[in-house]
Coordinates of all heavy atoms in Angstrom, one line a residue:
M42 N -19.6 -1.8 -21.8 CA -18.5 -2.0 -20.8 C -17.9 -0.7 -20.6 O -17.7 0.1 -21.5 CB -17.5 -3.1 -21.3 CG -16.5 -3.4 -20.3 SD -15.3 -4.6 -20.7 CE -16.3 -6.0 -20.9
Q43 N -17.4 -0.5 -19.4 CA -16.8 0.8 -19.0 C -15.4 0.9 -19.7 O -14.7 -0.1 -19.8 CB -16.7 0.8 -17.5 CG -16.2 2.1 -16.9 CD -16.1 2.1 -15.4 OE1 -16.3 1.0 -14.8 NE2 -15.9 3.2 -14.8
D44 N -15.0 2.1 -20.0 CA -13.7 2.4 -20.6 C -12.6 2.3 -19.5 O -12.9 2.6 -18.4 CB -13.7 3.8 -21.3 CG -14.5 3.8 -22.5 OD1 -14.7 2.8 -23.2 OD2 -15.0 4.9 -22.9
P45 N -11.4 2.0 -19.9 CA -10.3 2.1 -18.9 C -10.1 3.5 -18.4 O -10.5 4.5 -19.0 CB -9.1 1.7 -19.8 CG -9.6 1.0 -21.0 CD -11.0 1.6 -21.2
F46 N -9.6 3.6 -17.2 CA -9.4 4.8 -16.5 C -8.2 4.7 -15.6 O -7.7 3.6 -15.2 CB -10.6 5.3 -15.8 CG -11.2 4.3 -14.8 CD1 -10.8 4.4 -13.4 CD2 -12.1 3.3 -15.2 CE1 -11.3 3.5 -12.5 CE2 -12.6 2.4 -14.2 CZ -12.2 2.5 -12.9
D47 N -7.7 5.9 -15.2 CA -6.5 6.0 -14.2 C -7.0 6.5 -12.9 O -7.9 7.3 -12.8 CB -5.5 6.9 -14.7 CG -4.8 6.4 -16.0 OD1 -4.7 5.1 -16.1 OD2 -4.2 7.2 -16.8
L48 N -6.4 6.0 -11.8 CA -6.7 6.4 -10.5 C -5.3 6.7 -9.8 O -4.3 6.1 -10.0 CB -7.3 5.2 -9.7 CG -8.6 4.7 -10.1 CD1 -9.0 3.4 -9.3 CD2 -9.7 5.8 -9.9
L49 N -5.4 7.7 -8.9 CA -4.3 8.0 -8.0 C -4.6 7.6 -6.6 O -5.6 8.0 -6.0 CB -4.0 9.5 -8.1 CG -2.8 10.0 -7.3 CD1 -1.5 9.4 -7.9 CD2 -2.7 11.5 -7.3
V50 N -3.8 6.6 -6.1 CA -4.1 6.0 -4.8 C -2.7 6.1 -4.0 O -1.8 5.5 -4.5 CB -4.6 4.6 -4.9 CG1 -4.8 4.0 -3.5 CG2 -5.9 4.5 -5.7
N51 N -2.7 6.8 -2.9 CA -1.5 6.9 -2.1 C -0.3 7.3 -2.9 O 0.8 6.8 -2.7 CB -1.3 5.6 -1.3 CG -2.4 5.3 -0.4 OD1 -3.0 6.1 0.2 ND2 -2.6 4.0 -0.2
G52 N -0.5 8.3 -3.8 CA 0.6 8.8 -4.6 C 1.0 7.9 -5.8 O 2.0 8.2 -6.4
I53 N 0.3 6.8 -6.0 CA 0.7 5.9 -7.1 C -0.4 5.9 -8.2 O -1.6 5.9 -7.8 CB 0.9 4.5 -6.6 CG1 2.0 4.5 -5.5 CG2 1.2 3.5 -7.7 CD1 2.2 3.2 -4.8
V54 N 0.0 6.0 -9.4 CA -1.0 5.9 -10.5 C -1.3 4.5 -10.9 O -0.4 3.7 -11.2 CB -0.5 6.7 -11.8 CG1 -1.5 6.5 -12.9 CG2 -0.3 8.2 -11.4
Y55 N -2.6 4.1 -10.9 CA -3.0 2.8 -11.3 C -3.9 2.9 -12.5 O -4.8 3.8 -12.5 CB -3.9 2.1 -10.2 CG -3.1 1.8 -8.9 CD1 -3.0 2.7 -7.9 CD2 -2.4 0.6 -8.8 CE1 -2.3 2.4 -6.7 CE2 -1.7 0.3 -7.6 CZ -1.7 1.2 -6.6 OH -1.0 0.9 -5.5
S56 N -3.7 2.1 -13.5 CA -4.5 2.1 -14.7 C -5.5 0.9 -14.5 O -5.0 -0.2 -14.3 CB -3.7 2.0 -16.0 OG -2.9 3.1 -16.2
V57 N -6.8 1.2 -14.7 CA -7.8 0.2 -14.4 C -8.5 -0.1 -15.7 O -9.0 0.7 -16.4 CB -8.8 0.8 -13.4 CG1 -9.9 -0.2 -13.1 CG2 -8.1 1.2 -12.1
F58 N -8.5 -1.4 -16.0 CA -9.2 -1.9 -17.2 C -10.3 -2.8 -16.8 O -10.1 -4.0 -16.4 CB -8.2 -2.7 -18.1 CG -7.2 -1.8 -18.7 CD1 -6.0 -1.4 -18.0 CD2 -7.3 -1.4 -20.0 CE1 -5.1 -0.6 -18.6 CE2 -6.4 -0.5 -20.6 CZ -5.3 -0.1 -19.9
P59 N -11.6 -2.3 -16.8 CA -12.7 -3.1 -16.4 C -13.0 -4.3 -17.3 O -12.8 -4.2 -18.5 CB -13.9 -2.1 -16.5 CG -13.3 -0.8 -16.5 CD -11.9 -1.0 -17.2
E60 N -13.3 -5.4 -16.7 CA -13.7 -6.6 -17.4 C -15.1 -7.0 -17.0 O -15.8 -6.1 -16.5 CB -12.7 -7.8 -17.1 CG -11.3 -7.4 -17.6 CD -10.3 -8.5 -17.4 OE1 -10.7 -9.7 -17.3 OE2 -9.1 -8.3 -17.5
E61 N -15.5 -8.2 -17.2 CA -16.9 -8.6 -16.8 C -16.9 -9.0 -15.3 O -15.9 -9.4 -14.8 CB -17.3 -9.8 -17.7 CG -17.4 -9.3 -19.2 CD -17.8 -10.5 -20.1 OE1 -18.0 -11.6 -19.6 OE2 -17.9 -10.2 -21.3
N62 N -18.1 -9.0 -14.8 CA -18.4 -9.6 -13.4 C -17.6 -8.9 -12.3 O -17.0 -9.7 -11.5 CB -18.3 -11.1 -13.4 CG -19.2 -11.7 -14.4 OD1 -20.3 -11.3 -14.6 ND2 -18.7 -12.8 -15.1
N63 N -17.5 -7.6 -12.3 CA -16.7 -6.9 -11.2 C -15.2 -7.3 -11.2 O -14.7 -7.3 -10.1 CB -17.4 -7.1 -9.9 CG -18.7 -6.3 -9.8 OD1 -18.8 -5.2 -10.3 ND2 -19.7 -6.9 -9.2
V64 N -14.6 -7.7 -12.3 CA -13.2 -8.0 -12.3 C -12.5 -6.9 -13.1 O -13.0 -6.3 -14.1 CB -13.0 -9.3 -13.0 CG1 -11.5 -9.6 -13.2 CG2 -13.6 -10.5 -12.2
Y65 N -11.4 -6.5 -12.6 CA -10.6 -5.4 -13.1 C -9.1 -5.8 -13.3 O -8.6 -6.3 -12.3 CB -10.7 -4.1 -12.2 CG -12.1 -3.6 -12.0 CD1 -12.9 -4.2 -11.1 CD2 -12.6 -2.6 -12.8 CE1 -14.2 -3.7 -10.9 CE2 -13.8 -2.1 -12.6 CZ -14.7 -2.7 -11.7 OH -15.9 -2.2 -11.5
T66 N -8.5 -5.5 -14.4 CA -7.1 -5.7 -14.6 C -6.4 -4.4 -14.2 O -6.8 -3.3 -14.7 CB -6.7 -6.1 -16.0 OG1 -7.4 -7.4 -16.3 CG2 -5.2 -6.3 -16.2
I67 N -5.4 -4.5 -13.3 CA -4.8 -3.3 -12.8 C -3.3 -3.2 -13.2 O -2.6 -4.2 -13.2 CB -4.9 -3.3 -11.2 CG1 -6.3 -3.6 -10.7 CG2 -4.3 -2.0 -10.7 CD1 -7.3 -2.5 -11.1
F68 N -2.9 -2.0 -13.7 CA -1.5 -1.8 -13.9 C -1.0 -0.7 -12.9 O -1.7 0.3 -12.7 CB -1.3 -1.3 -15.4 CG -1.5 -2.3 -16.4 CD1 -2.8 -2.7 -16.8 CD2 -0.5 -3.0 -16.9 CE1 -3.0 -3.7 -17.8 CE2 -0.6 -4.0 -17.9 CZ -1.9 -4.4 -18.3
K69 N 0.1 -1.0 -12.3 CA 0.6 -0.1 -11.3 C 1.9 0.6 -11.9 O 2.9 -0.1 -12.2 CB 1.0 -0.9 -10.0 CG 1.6 -0.1 -8.9 CD 1.9 -1.0 -7.7 CE 2.6 -0.3 -6.6 NZ 2.8 -1.2 -5.5
A70 N 1.8 1.9 -12.0 CA 2.9 2.6 -12.6 C 3.4 2.0 -13.9 O 4.6 1.9 -14.1 CB 4.0 2.8 -11.6
G71 N 2.5 1.5 -14.7 CA 2.9 1.0 -16.0 C 3.1 -0.5 -16.1 O 3.2 -1.0 -17.2
A72 N 3.3 -1.2 -15.0 CA 3.5 -2.6 -15.0 C 2.3 -3.3 -14.5 O 1.6 -2.8 -13.6 CB 4.7 -2.9 -14.1
E73 N 2.0 -4.5 -15.0 CA 0.8 -5.2 -14.6 C 0.9 -5.6 -13.1 O 1.9 -6.3 -12.6 CB 0.6 -6.5 -15.4 CG -0.7 -7.1 -15.1 CD -1.2 -8.2 -16.1 OE1 -0.5 -8.4 -17.1 OE2 -2.2 -8.9 -15.8
F74 N -0.1 -5.2 -12.4 CA -0.2 -5.5 -10.9 C -1.0 -6.8 -10.7 O -0.7 -7.6 -9.9 CB -0.9 -4.3 -10.2 CG -1.3 -4.5 -8.8 CD1 -0.3 -4.4 -7.8 CD2 -2.5 -4.8 -8.4 CE1 -0.6 -4.6 -6.5 CE2 -2.8 -5.0 -7.0 CZ -1.8 -4.9 -6.1
G75 N -2.0 -7.0 -11.6 CA -2.8 -8.2 -11.5 C -4.3 -7.9 -11.7 O -4.7 -6.8 -12.0
K76 N -5.1 -8.9 -11.4 CA -6.6 -8.7 -11.5 C -7.1 -8.7 -10.1 O -6.7 -9.4 -9.2 CB -7.2 -9.8 -12.3 CG -6.9 -9.8 -13.8 CD -7.6 -10.9 -14.5 CE -7.3 -10.8 -16.0 NZ -8.1 -11.7 -16.8
I77 N -8.1 -7.8 -9.9 CA -8.8 -7.8 -8.6 C -10.3 -7.9 -8.9 O -10.8 -7.7 -10.0 CB -8.6 -6.5 -7.8 CG1 -9.1 -5.3 -8.5 CG2 -7.1 -6.4 -7.6 CD1 -9.0 -4.0 -7.6
E78 N -11.0 -8.4 -7.9 CA -12.5 -8.7 -8.0 C -13.2 -8.1 -6.8 O -12.7 -8.3 -5.7 CB -12.7 -10.2 -8.1 CG -14.2 -10.6 -8.2 CD -14.3 -12.1 -8.4 OE1 -13.5 -12.8 -7.8 OE2 -15.2 -12.5 -9.1
K79 N -14.3 -7.5 -7.0 CA -15.1 -7.0 -5.9 C -15.8 -8.2 -5.2 O -16.6 -9.0 -5.9 CB -16.2 -6.0 -6.4 CG -16.9 -5.4 -5.3 CD -17.8 -4.3 -5.8 CE -18.5 -3.5 -4.7 NZ -19.3 -2.4 -5.2
D80 N -15.6 -8.4 -3.9 CA -16.2 -9.4 -3.1 C -17.5 -8.9 -2.4 O -18.6 -9.4 -2.6 CB -15.2 -10.0 -2.1 CG -15.8 -11.2 -1.4 OD1 -16.5 -12.0 -2.0 OD2 -15.5 -11.4 -0.2
T81 N -17.3 -7.9 -1.6 CA -18.4 -7.2 -1.0 C -18.2 -5.7 -1.2 O -17.2 -5.3 -1.8 CB -18.5 -7.5 0.5 OG1 -17.3 -7.0 1.2 CG2 -18.6 -9.0 0.8
D82 N -19.0 -4.9 -0.5 CA -18.9 -3.4 -0.7 C -17.5 -2.9 -0.3 O -17.0 -2.0 -0.9 CB -20.0 -2.7 0.1 CG -21.3 -2.8 -0.6 OD1 -21.3 -3.0 -1.9 OD2 -22.3 -2.6 0.0
N83 N -16.9 -3.5 0.7 CA -15.7 -3.0 1.3 C -14.5 -3.9 1.1 O -13.4 -3.6 1.5 CB -15.8 -2.6 2.7 CG -16.8 -1.5 3.0 OD1 -16.9 -0.6 2.2 ND2 -17.6 -1.7 4.0
V84 N -14.7 -5.1 0.5 CA -13.7 -6.1 0.4 C -13.4 -6.4 -1.1 O -14.4 -6.7 -1.8 CB -14.1 -7.4 1.2 CG1 -13.0 -8.5 1.0 CG2 -14.3 -7.1 2.7
W85 N -12.2 -6.3 -1.4 CA -11.7 -6.7 -2.8 C -10.7 -7.8 -2.7 O -9.9 -7.8 -1.7 CB -11.2 -5.4 -3.5 CG -12.2 -4.4 -3.8 CD1 -12.9 -3.6 -2.9 CD2 -12.7 -4.1 -5.1 NE1 -13.8 -2.8 -3.6 CE2 -13.7 -3.1 -5.0 CE3 -12.4 -4.6 -6.4 CZ2 -14.4 -2.6 -6.0 CZ3 -13.1 -4.1 -7.4 CH2 -14.0 -3.1 -7.3
L86 N -10.7 -8.6 -3.7 CA -9.7 -9.8 -3.7 C -8.9 -9.7 -4.9 O -9.3 -9.5 -6.0 CB -10.5 -11.1 -3.6 CG -11.5 -11.3 -2.5 CD1 -12.4 -12.5 -2.8 CD2 -10.8 -11.3 -1.2
K87 N -7.6 -10.0 -4.7 CA -6.7 -10.2 -5.8 C -6.8 -11.6 -6.4 O -7.0 -12.5 -5.6 CB -5.2 -9.9 -5.4 CG -4.3 -9.8 -6.5 CD -2.9 -9.3 -6.1 CE -2.0 -9.1 -7.3 NZ -0.7 -8.6 -6.9
L88 N -6.8 -11.7 -7.7 CA -7.0 -13.1 -8.3 C -5.6 -13.7 -8.5 O -4.6 -13.0 -8.9 CB -7.7 -13.0 -9.6 CG -9.1 -12.4 -9.5 CD1 -9.8 -12.4 -10.9 CD2 -10.0 -13.1 -8.5
N89 N -5.5 -15.0 -8.3 CA -4.3 -15.7 -8.6 C -3.9 -15.6 -10.0 O -4.8 -15.8 -10.9 CB -4.5 -17.2 -8.2 CG -3.3 -18.0 -8.4 OD1 -2.7 -18.1 -9.5 ND2 -2.8 -18.7 -7.3
P90 N -2.7 -15.2 -10.4 CA -2.4 -14.9 -11.8 C -2.4 -16.2 -12.6 O -2.6 -16.1 -13.8 CB -0.9 -14.4 -11.7 CG -0.5 -14.5 -10.3 CD -1.6 -14.8 -9.4
E91 N -2.2 -17.3 -12.1 CA -2.3 -18.6 -12.9 C -3.7 -19.2 -13.0 O -4.0 -19.6 -14.1 CB -1.3 -19.6 -12.3 CG 0.1 -19.2 -12.3 CD 1.1 -20.1 -11.6 OE1 0.6 -21.3 -11.3 OE2 2.2 -19.8 -11.4
T92 N -4.4 -19.1 -11.9 CA -5.7 -19.8 -12.0 C -6.9 -18.8 -12.0 O -8.0 -19.3 -12.3 CB -5.9 -20.7 -10.7 OG1 -5.9 -19.8 -9.5 CG2 -4.8 -21.7 -10.6
E93 N -6.6 -17.6 -11.7 CA -7.7 -16.5 -11.7 C -8.7 -16.8 -10.6 O -9.9 -16.4 -10.7 CB -8.3 -16.2 -13.0 CG -7.3 -15.6 -14.0 CD -7.9 -14.9 -15.2 OE1 -9.2 -14.9 -15.3 OE2 -7.2 -14.4 -16.0
T94 N -8.4 -17.6 -9.6 CA -9.2 -17.8 -8.4 C -8.9 -16.8 -7.4 O -7.7 -16.3 -7.3 CB -9.1 -19.2 -7.9 OG1 -7.7 -19.4 -7.5 CG2 -9.6 -20.3 -8.9
P95 N -9.9 -16.4 -6.6 CA -9.6 -15.3 -5.5 C -8.6 -15.8 -4.5 O -8.7 -17.0 -4.1 CB -11.0 -15.1 -4.9 CG -12.0 -15.6 -5.9 CD -11.3 -16.7 -6.7
M96 N -7.7 -14.9 -4.1 CA -6.8 -15.2 -3.0 C -7.4 -14.4 -1.8 O -7.5 -13.2 -1.8 CB -5.4 -14.8 -3.3 CG -4.8 -15.5 -4.5 SD -3.1 -15.2 -4.9 CE -3.2 -13.4 -5.3
F97 N -7.7 -15.1 -0.7 CA -8.4 -14.5 0.4 C -7.3 -13.9 1.4 O -7.4 -14.3 2.6 CB -9.3 -15.5 1.1 CG -10.5 -15.8 0.2 CD1 -10.4 -17.0 -0.6 CD2 -11.6 -15.1 0.1 CE1 -11.5 -17.3 -1.5 CE2 -12.7 -15.4 -0.7 CZ -12.6 -16.5 -1.5
D98 N -6.5 -13.1 0.9 CA -5.5 -12.4 1.8 C -6.1 -11.0 2.1 O -6.7 -10.4 1.3 CB -4.1 -12.2 1.1 CG -3.5 -13.5 0.7 OD1 -3.8 -14.6 1.3 OD2 -2.7 -13.5 -0.3
N99 N -5.8 -10.6 3.3 CA -6.1 -9.2 3.6 C -5.1 -8.3 3.1 O -4.0 -8.2 3.6 CB -6.3 -9.0 5.1 CG -7.5 -9.6 5.7 OD1 -8.5 -9.8 5.0 ND2 -7.5 -10.0 7.0
D100 N -5.4 -7.6 2.0 CA -4.4 -6.8 1.3 C -4.9 -5.4 1.3 O -5.8 -5.0 0.5 CB -4.2 -7.3 -0.1 CG -3.0 -6.7 -0.9 OD1 -2.8 -5.5 -0.7 OD2 -2.4 -7.4 -1.6
A101 N -4.2 -4.5 2.0 CA -4.7 -3.1 2.1 C -4.6 -2.4 0.8 O -5.4 -1.5 0.5 CB -3.8 -2.4 3.2
E102 N -3.5 -2.7 0.0 CA -3.4 -2.0 -1.3 C -4.5 -2.4 -2.2 O -5.1 -1.5 -2.9 CB -2.0 -2.4 -1.9 CG -1.8 -1.7 -3.2 CD -0.4 -2.1 -3.8 OE1 0.2 -3.1 -3.5 OE2 0.0 -1.3 -4.7
V103 N -4.9 -3.7 -2.3 CA -6.0 -4.1 -3.1 C -7.3 -3.4 -2.6 O -8.1 -2.9 -3.4 CB -6.2 -5.6 -3.1 CG1 -7.5 -6.1 -3.8 CG2 -5.0 -6.3 -3.8
D104 N -7.5 -3.4 -1.3 CA -8.7 -2.7 -0.8 C -8.8 -1.2 -1.1 O -9.8 -0.7 -1.5 CB -8.9 -2.9 0.7 CG -9.3 -4.3 1.1 OD1 -9.9 -5.0 0.3 OD2 -9.0 -4.7 2.3
A105 N -7.6 -0.6 -1.1 CA -7.5 0.9 -1.4 C -7.8 1.1 -2.9 O -8.6 2.0 -3.2 CB -6.2 1.4 -1.0
I106 N -7.3 0.2 -3.7 CA -7.6 0.4 -5.2 C -9.1 0.1 -5.4 O -9.7 0.9 -6.2 CB -6.7 -0.7 -6.0 CG1 -5.3 -0.3 -5.9 CG2 -7.2 -0.6 -7.5 CD1 -4.4 -1.5 -6.4
G107 N -9.6 -0.9 -4.8 CA -11.0 -1.2 -5.0 C -11.9 -0.1 -4.5 O -12.9 0.2 -5.1
Q108 N -11.6 0.5 -3.3 CA -12.4 1.6 -2.8 C -12.3 2.8 -3.8 O -13.3 3.5 -4.1 CB -11.9 2.1 -1.5 CG -12.8 3.1 -0.8 CD -14.2 2.5 -0.5 OE1 -14.3 1.4 -0.1 NE2 -15.2 3.3 -0.8
A109 N -11.2 3.0 -4.4 CA -11.0 4.1 -5.4 C -11.9 3.8 -6.6 O -12.5 4.7 -7.2 CB -9.6 4.3 -5.8
I110 N -11.9 2.5 -7.0 CA -12.8 2.1 -8.2 C -14.2 2.4 -7.8 O -15.0 2.9 -8.7 CB -12.5 0.7 -8.6 CG1 -11.1 0.5 -9.2 CG2 -13.6 0.2 -9.5 CD1 -10.7 -1.0 -9.3
T111 N -14.6 2.0 -6.6 CA -16.0 2.2 -6.2 C -16.4 3.7 -6.2 O -17.5 4.1 -6.6 CB -16.2 1.7 -4.8 OG1 -15.9 0.3 -4.8 CG2 -17.6 1.9 -4.3
N112 N -15.4 4.6 -5.8 CA -15.7 6.0 -5.8 C -15.5 6.7 -7.1 O -15.8 7.9 -7.2 CB -14.8 6.6 -4.7 CG -15.1 6.2 -3.3 OD1 -16.2 5.7 -3.0 ND2 -14.1 6.2 -2.4
Y113 N -15.0 6.0 -8.1 CA -14.6 6.7 -9.4 C -15.9 7.1 -10.1 O -16.9 6.4 -10.2 CB -13.8 5.7 -10.3 CG -13.6 6.2 -11.7 CD1 -12.6 7.2 -11.9 CD2 -14.3 5.8 -12.7 CE1 -12.4 7.7 -13.1 CE2 -14.1 6.3 -14.0 CZ -13.1 7.2 -14.2 OH -12.9 7.7 -15.5
V114 N -15.9 8.4 -10.6 CA -16.9 8.9 -11.4 C -16.3 9.3 -12.7 O -15.4 10.1 -12.8 CB -17.6 10.1 -10.7 CG1 -18.6 10.7 -11.6 CG2 -18.1 9.8 -9.4
P115 N -16.8 8.7 -13.8 CA -16.2 9.0 -15.1 C -16.4 10.5 -15.5 O -17.4 11.0 -15.2 CB -17.0 8.1 -16.1 CG -17.6 7.1 -15.3 CD -17.8 7.6 -13.9
E116 N -15.4 11.0 -16.1 CA -15.5 12.4 -16.5 C -16.4 12.5 -17.8 O -16.3 11.6 -18.7 CB -14.1 13.0 -16.9 CG -13.2 13.1 -15.7 CD -11.8 13.6 -16.1 OE1 -11.7 14.1 -17.3 OE2 -10.9 13.5 -15.3
E117 N -17.3 13.5 -17.8 CA -18.1 13.6 -18.9 C -17.4 14.3 -20.1 O -16.6 15.2 -19.8 CB -19.4 14.5 -18.6 CG -20.3 13.8 -17.6 CD -21.5 14.6 -17.3 OE1 -21.8 15.5 -18.1 OE2 -22.2 14.3 -16.3
E118 N -17.6 13.8 -21.3 CA -16.9 14.3 -22.4 C -17.7 15.6 -22.9 O -18.9 15.5 -22.9 CB -16.8 13.3 -23.6 CG -15.9 12.2 -23.2 CD -15.8 11.2 -24.4 OE1 -16.2 11.5 -25.5 OE2 -15.4 10.0 -24.1
D119 N -17.0 16.6 -23.2 CA -17.6 17.8 -23.8 C -17.9 17.6 -25.2 O -17.0 17.5 -26.1 CB -16.7 19.1 -23.6 CG -16.5 19.4 -22.1 OD1 -17.4 19.1 -21.3 OD2 -15.5 20.0 -21.8
E120 N -19.2 17.5 -25.6 CA -19.6 17.3 -27.0 C -19.6 18.6 -27.7 O -19.4 18.6 -28.9 CB -20.9 16.6 -27.0 CG -20.8 15.2 -26.5 CD -22.0 14.3 -26.8 OE1 -22.8 14.7 -27.7 OE2 -22.2 13.3 -26.1
D121 N -19.8 19.7 -27.0 CA -19.7 21.0 -27.7 C -19.4 22.0 -26.6 O -19.5 21.8 -25.4 CB -21.0 21.4 -28.4 CG -22.3 21.3 -27.5 OD1 -22.3 21.9 -26.4 OD2 -23.2 20.6 -27.9
D122 N -19.1 23.2 -27.0 CA -18.6 24.2 -26.1 C -19.7 25.3 -25.8 O -19.4 26.4 -25.4 CB -17.3 24.9 -26.6 CG -16.2 24.0 -26.6 OD1 -16.1 23.0 -25.8 OD2 -15.3 24.1 -27.5
E123 N -21.0 25.0 -26.1 CA -22.0 26.0 -25.9 C -22.2 26.4 -24.5 O -22.7 27.5 -24.2 CB -23.3 25.4 -26.5 CG -23.3 25.3 -28.0 CD -24.7 24.7 -28.5 OE1 -25.6 24.5 -27.7 OE2 -24.7 24.4 -29.7
D124 N -21.8 25.6 -23.5 CA -22.0 25.9 -22.1 C -21.1 27.1 -21.7 O -21.3 27.6 -20.6 CB -21.7 24.7 -21.3 CG -22.7 23.5 -21.5 OD1 -23.8 23.8 -21.9 OD2 -22.3 22.4 -21.2
F125 N -20.1 27.4 -22.5 CA -19.1 28.4 -22.1 C -19.4 29.7 -22.8 O -18.6 30.6 -22.7 CB -17.7 27.9 -22.4 CG -17.3 26.7 -21.7 CD1 -17.4 25.4 -22.3 CD2 -17.0 26.7 -20.3 CE1 -17.0 24.3 -21.6 CE2 -16.7 25.5 -19.6 CZ -16.7 24.3 -20.3
E126 N -20.5 29.9 -23.4 CA -20.8 31.2 -24.0 C -21.2 32.3 -23.0 O -21.7 32.1 -22.0 CB -22.0 31.0 -25.0 CG -21.5 30.2 -26.2 CD -22.6 30.1 -27.2 OE1 -23.6 30.8 -27.2 OE2 -22.5 29.2 -28.1

């Protein structure tokens, strides 16, 4: 499973915690924003906090977070510094 990571979207820091089946728990500026799920390549859905079923609202913020997740490339960890000799 992918490690948690942070994203900057429209000047706001979101912490992303990947779960199973394209579901992500999102924290916005340190407070829980909720869970989102990838529906299609360009459409992301926020999950109902009580039932965890998708809410089919057009939410630009959720789509922007989802697009940033899609574009996210994990940073490679430097295992040694031999490349800098």
Side-chain angles (χ1 to χ4, degrees):
M42 185 179 296
Q43 188 178 9
D44 289 332
F46 55 95
D47 292 333
L48 297 172
L49 183 64
V50 179
N51 298 326
I53 300 170
V54 175
Y55 295 90
S56 297
V57 179
F58 291 81
E60 298 185 16
E61 296 177 0
N62 301 323
N63 289 321
V64 174
Y65 300 82
T66 298
I67 309 297
F68 289 82
K69 178 180 180 180
E73 187 168 352
F74 175 77
K76 292 185 179 186
I77 66 172
E78 178 178 36
K79 185 175 186 177
D80 186 38
T81 65
D82 284 339
N83 297 321
V84 177
W85 289 71
L86 304 171
K87 190 168 184 180
L88 301 181
N89 182 302
E91 294 177 11
T92 64
E93 293 196 1
T94 56
M96 298 185 295
F97 293 94
D98 300 336
N99 289 333
D100 189 325
E102 183 177 21
V103 170
D104 285 338
I106 296 166
Q108 190 62 45
I110 291 170
T111 299
N112 295 335
Y113 175 74
V114 177
E116 295 179 13
E117 293 184 19
E118 294 181 16
D119 293 332
E120 294 191 18
D121 55 54
D122 293 329
E123 291 180 5
D124 296 336
F125 299 103
E126 291 181 15

